[in-house]
Amino acid sequence: MSTNGWLFPRGSLAEGPWESVVGVGLPGWQHTGLRIADLDGDLTLPPASLERMIVPLAGSFTVSASDDRWDLPGRRSVFDGPTDVLYLAAMTGFRIEGSGRVAVAEAPTNVRLPSTLLSRDDVPVEIRGAGRSTRQVHNFGVPGALAASKLIVCEVITPAENWSSYPAHKHDRAGANESELEEIYYFEAAVARGVDAPADARPFGMFTTYASDERAIDTAARVGTGDVALVPYGFHGPAVAAPGYDLYYLNVMAGPADERAWRITDDPAQGWIRQHWNDQQPDPRLPYLSKEIGR
């Protein structure tokens, strides 16, 4: 891969009704998948050896599979707090109906666990870091919050001028202190809360990935709504929200191990910064409170 070869601008992974599709069809990609769509009507996906998680980005949806039916009231945007999410067991085909923008996270597996709806009110919300490293994490699809075979999913809101995915870290070698996981970053950006911006404002942030060993990787990119960055290996971070613009990303992770775990190793040149968070206060702009739809 060339410089930024793992960064895919909005629409460059389009497939049928899906704005973006990440899966094993991409060279060098094995363990995770993601689908993004703007929906006004319905879409279907057939049964497959995949466990899936449906994440409303904006809008409300209803999902049906065989005799089961789930309502996801959703939210107005990704910057309006956590959302209801639905985990679907492997070999479950489904239909999704509604209006808005939706993500479907995927991981190959033949293990069938019960499909589960997690209400927005039950989503663990974490304020991580301090000072200009403060971010808001919705841990709806991580070990301990939701049972799954391989899939690990969360989302992060980074207010304007703050840094997240920082210090840069990796999870590309299996061991006692680290998991081997692929990772997908799906981004959105918006004018920061309370900021009066002109109509032609173009919200953005920055994202980097770089080599942790002999495997070359070098992503240094401006990112905005709809862009996708893949991290097959290497140190990744920071993700930085530009002044005047809030940054969001959805993370999808999975790997080859039977154990479903997220263990990381910091870049030694940056990991020391964590100790200084003890002397700083979290950013008072967070948490971003939810704005409800249909409730």
Side-chain angles (χ1 to χ4, degrees):
M1 287 285 180
S2 62
T3 298
N4 290 355
W6 292 101
L7 190 283
F8 297 88
R10 183 175 190 171
S12 61
L13 295 171
E15 184 178 303
W18 300 94
E19 177 185 288
S20 294
V21 176
V22 176
V24 295
L26 286 174
W29 207 248
Q30 303 179 66
H31 303 295
T32 58
L34 178 68
R35 294 171 178 268
I36 303 292
D38 286 316
L39 182 62
D40 188 10
D42 67 275
L43 286 171
T44 60
L45 283 174
S49 297
L50 297 167
E51 57 182 352
R52 292 167 165 141
M53 176 175 284
I54 298 174
V55 181
L57 301 172
S60 302
F61 304 93
T62 298
V63 179
S64 53
S66 299
D67 296 328
D68 296 313
R69 184 180 176 91
W70 302 270
D71 291 323
L72 283 73
R75 55 190 170 183
R76 296 186 184 278
S77 85
V78 295
F79 297 101
D80 291 330
T83 182
D84 322 82
V85 297
L86 175 63
Y87 171 83
L88 289 173
M91 299 307 301
T92 301
F94 69 93
R95 178 187 183 195
I96 182 168
E97 305 170 74
S99 179
R101 189 166 175 84
V102 65
V104 181
E106 301 176 334
T109 184
N110 291 312
V111 176
R112 285 183 56 85
L113 296 173
S115 296
T116 304
L117 176 67
L118 185 65
S119 167
R120 169 176 50 216
D121 295 336
D122 295 327
V123 171
V125 177
E126 174 189 2
I127 304 301
R128 185 178 297 171
R132 287 301 183 189
S133 295
T134 310
R135 56 274 205 183
Q136 177 173 328
V137 186
H138 301 155
N139 288 311
F140 45 63
V142 303
L146 190 71
S149 171
K150 300 281 191 178
L151 197 57
I152 300 174
V153 188
C154 66
E155 61 182 10
V156 180
I157 298 169
T158 309
E161 301 184 37
N162 283 15
W163 291 43
S164 59
S165 277
Y166 184 73
H169 55 280
K170 72 183 186 79
H171 37 70
D172 59 11
R173 298 285 186 186
N177 299 313
E178 187 175 326
S179 308
E180 182 181 353
L181 300 167
E182 287 180 343
E183 186 164 12
I184 301 170
Y185 279 72
Y186 162 77
F187 295 97
E188 295 199 10
V191 173
R193 286 191 175 189
V195 172
D196 185 13
D200 59 353
R202 297 183 61 187
F204 74 100
M206 304 296 294
F207 178 72
T208 61
T209 302
Y210 54 96
S212 59
D213 51 30
E214 73 282 356
R215 294 171 291 179
I217 186 169
D218 184 9
T219 301
R222 173 185 175 123
V223 293
T225 296
D227 294 340
V228 175
L230 304 185
V231 184
Y233 43 76
F235 289 116
H236 44 287
V240 183
Y245 302 124
D246 292 338
L247 184 67
Y248 162 95
Y249 51 87
L250 176 70
N251 285 146
V252 182
M253 291 174 278
D258 292 334
E259 181 189 20
R260 176 175 172 249
W262 182 69
R263 294 189 292 268
I264 66 171
T265 299
D266 286 337
D267 182 338
Q270 300 175 23
W272 61 271
I273 197 66
R274 292 184 186 272
Q275 63 186 320
H276 289 272
W277 295 346
N278 296 327
D279 302 322
Q280 302 177 60
Q281 295 298 314
D283 191 321
R285 292 176 293 178
L286 297 178
Y288 278 9
L289 302 177
S290 62
K291 298 179 181 178
E292 300 179 350
I293 289 182
R295 292 190 180 183

